[in-house]
């Protein structure tokens, strides 16, 4: 288990300005491909989202210069990187370290445990977050691995690097 | 020595497959409605999903227990009867029930399927348990988490059915099957709607200036956590409240803490417990895999005469705190 009992989230990063906009623009094509692939391969997850297919989720990885906006509407799927000063009004916001989100998608971390340890913060519509969590958790295997595989050996190498980083950071005394 | 079956939670088909693959002897689950006590948004099984899940489990020698462990409101029994009929058609290995009417219907309509008495029935005396055995043919009782091991041993000697005890997970025991705190604040019933602290009524409010987080249920603040304080579930029974004599705030009912009986497994087996239950249908596959595989190894070690060396599971516990509760001593709380 990789939770550091002493961990607390760092102060909210700014995520605004030219750098944030440039970073969000650069990452956007990747996000679009990933979300379309996941949706196509795991269409059943939309049923678990129920009435929250139209909810605007903001997923806020604190290390990133931008946040992620997800609207899991199967008819008009939206997953985009947005500078924090340009975020939409969120139905629900989920905030934590990117590597922790990766562990959740990798089926290595438990969302409730991350919440208990305060590594994961949620605000807004709690039911929406619970539905999203349950929908993603009903996917067999690792969504992170699927996403990495889309980009071939470079994608897998990056995922491997991130996993090692998470593992190293979670060791006692590691920086998180 | 009892068989010490490992009964594991599954909130989704993927979690069920994870539990089976991690070594569960049986998996318990429910439909996507009020017939079970984890009627949470996005959780549980459609009949089609359950049918596929039963096939997956049975192909690997694992049983599937269907939780129908809520209480139908008066005159509204059709949902529970339909769920029982569907479960029997699919071929579940047992029904977990709390309500006598549901138990009676299954005993009469599907006599070939085992009945287990849910913890929600709160049957904690030999007299109460024998009543369910004699009238409905109950084969196993899931004991409330209010008994010491010597008390469990005594009950085992006095009842003609198997005993199942919780060994890990949420420790919100209150008066199991009778708790009405959620009804009081939200209008939804834990026991009839199957949901304690419905997510639609839960809100977490973060104070950006202090880093404090408040958990609220239907507008009532039930706890406030400091910036580095571990959090718990937003249930009223584990809320922290102020009172004239406790202005600093205190846990009036229970604390955010999880049950962990990993150290007591040999004593429970020796006391005649037939099955160990892991709580957590609302938890993730990661939780299921970690907890089930840990207890699988521990039970196998004990049955082989080895000392169990269970890994540290505290990170998965509520508030990152664990207890042996009343199983260790009645002095608990």
């Amino acid at each position: 288990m990789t939770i550091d009992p002493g961990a607390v989230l760092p102060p909210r990063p700014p995520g605004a300005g030219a750098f944030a906009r440039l970073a969000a623009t650069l990452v956007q094509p990747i996000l679009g491909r990933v979300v379309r692939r996941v949706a196509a391969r795991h269409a059943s997850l939309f049923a678990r989202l129920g009435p929250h297919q139209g909810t605007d989720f903001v997923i806020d990885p604190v290390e990133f210069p931008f946040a992620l906006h997800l609207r899991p509407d199967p008819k008009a799927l939206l997953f985009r990187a947005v500078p924090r000063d340009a975020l939409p009004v969120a139905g629900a916001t989920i905030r934590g370290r990117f590597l922790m989100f990766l562990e959740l998608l990798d089926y290595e971390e438990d969302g409730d445990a991350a919440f208990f340890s305060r590594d994961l913060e949620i605000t807004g519509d709690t039911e929406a977050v619970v539905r999203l969590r349950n929908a993603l958790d009903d996917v067999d295997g690792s969504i992170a691995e699927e996403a990495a595989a889309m980009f071939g050996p470079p994608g897998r190498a990056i995922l491997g690097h991130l996993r090692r980083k998470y593992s190293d950071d979670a060791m006692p005394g590691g920086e998180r | 020595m009892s068989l010490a079956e490992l009964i594991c939670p599954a909130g989704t088909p993927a979690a069920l497959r994870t539990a089976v693959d991690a070594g569960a002897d049986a998996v318990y689950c429910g439909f996507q409605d009020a017939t079970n006590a984890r009627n949470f948004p996005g959780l549980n099984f459609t009949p089609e999903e359950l049918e596929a899940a039963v096939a997956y489990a049975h192909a690997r020698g694992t049983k599937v227990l269907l939780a129908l462990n809520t209480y139908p409101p008066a005159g509204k029994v059709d949902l529970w009867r339909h769920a029982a009929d569907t479960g029997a058609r699919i071929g579940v290995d047992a029904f977990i029930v709390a309500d006598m009417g549901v138990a009676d219907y299954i005993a009469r309509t599907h006599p070939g399927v085992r009945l287990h008495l849910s913890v929600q029935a709160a049957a904690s005396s030999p007299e109460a348990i024998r009543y369910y055995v004699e009238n409905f043919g109950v084969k196993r009782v899931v004991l409330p988490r209010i008994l010491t091991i010597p008390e469990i041993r005594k009950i085992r000697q006095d009842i003609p059915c198997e005993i199942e005890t919780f060994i890990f997970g949420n420790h919100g025991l209150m008066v199991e099957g009778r708790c009405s705190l959620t009804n009081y604040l939200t209008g939804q019933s834990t026991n009839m709607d199957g949901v304690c602290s419905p997510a639609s009524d839960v809100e977490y409010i973060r104070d950006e200036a202090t880093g404090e987080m408040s958990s609220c249920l239907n507008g009532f603040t039930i706890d406030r956590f400091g910036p580095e304080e571990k959090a718990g579930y937003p249930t009223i029974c584990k809320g922290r409240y102020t009172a004239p004599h406790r202005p600093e705030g205190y846990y009036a009912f229970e604390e955010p803490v999880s049950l962990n009986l990993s150290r007591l497994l040999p004593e429970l087996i020796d006391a005649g417990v037939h099955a160990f239950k892991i709580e957590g249908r609302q938890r993730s596959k990661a939780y299921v895999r970690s907890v089930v595989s840990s207890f699988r190894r521990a039970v196998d070690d004990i049955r082989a005469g080895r000392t169990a060396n269970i890994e540290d599971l505290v990170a998965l516990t509520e508030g990152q705190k664990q207890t042996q509760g009343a199983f260790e001593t009645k002095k608990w709380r």
Side-chain angles (χ1 to χ4, degrees), chain B residues 115-154:
Chain B
L115 274 180
H116 293 183
L117 190 63
S118 169
V119 69
Q120 291 295 108
S124 58
S125 70
E127 293 78 10
I129 296 165
R130 280 200 298 266
Y131 180 85
Y132 287 96
V133 173
E134 290 163 7
N135 288 280
F136 311 113
V138 162
K139 297 284 192 284
R140 177 183 294 174
V141 58
V142 185
L143 289 179
R145 290 157 277 193
I146 57 170
L147 300 162
T148 64
I149 292 177
E151 286 173 330
I152 292 171
R153 184 190 304 275
K154 179 72 172 60

Side-chain angles (χ1 to χ4, degrees), chain A residues 5 12 110 112 118 121 140, chain B residues 17 206 226 230 233 284:
Chain A
R12 195 176 296 275
D110 174 71
D112 287 15
R118 307 286 298 278
E121 282 179 10
D140 278 320
Chain B
R17 292 188 287 273
R206 179 181 156 86
K230 305 309 173 198
Y233 282 122
S284 67

Side-chain angles (χ1 to χ4, degrees), chain A:
Chain A
M1 200 20 89
T2 52
I3 291 169
D4 174 6
V8 288
L9 292 177
R12 195 176 296 275
F19 175 66
R21 279 190 284 281
L22 176 64
T25 304
L26 288 175
V27 81
Q28 187 54 52
I30 297 172
L31 295 177
R33 269 187 76 185
V34 167
V35 76
R36 283 193 297 275
R37 170 68 72 90
V38 170
R41 291 188 60 158
H42 306 288
S44 64
L45 64 80
F46 292 106
R48 290 191 181 274
L49 285 165
H52 289 288
Q53 293 179 355
T55 295
D56 287 303
F57 294 89
V58 168
I59 300 158
D60 191 357
V62 295
E63 310 97 318
F64 280 17
F66 51 79
L68 304 167
H69 171 206
L70 170 68
R71 189 186 303 144
D73 179 348
K75 292 178 186 145
L77 206 51
L78 183 67
F79 191 40
R80 60 190 185 118
V82 186
R84 288 189 177 83
D85 60 354
L87 283 170
V89 175
T93 299
I94 309 166
R95 182 170 177 256
R97 291 176 171 79
F98 171 73
L99 293 174
M100 190 268 301
F101 286 128
L102 183 67
E103 286 254 299
L104 289 171
L105 291 175
D106 233 354
Y107 157 42
E108 290 292 331
E109 176 74 277
D110 174 71
D112 287 15
F115 173 78
F116 297 149
S117 66
R118 307 286 298 278
D119 286 327
L120 184 72
E121 282 179 10
I122 60 176
T123 51
D125 190 326
T126 307
E127 177 176 322
V129 177
V130 171
R131 279 193 177 273
L132 180 63
R133 188 275 305 267
N134 289 335
L136 292 173
D137 204 59
D138 192 35
V139 171
D140 278 320
S142 162
I143 292 177
E145 218 156 79
E146 272 184 37
M150 289 171 59
F151 302 96
R156 292 192 191 93
I158 291 170
L159 179 62
H161 170 74
L162 290 171
R163 283 171 169 164
R164 283 191 298 278
K165 177 170 171 48
Y166 192 93
S167 179
D168 292 346
D169 286 357
M171 295 296 285
E175 293 295 319
R176 293 196 62 192

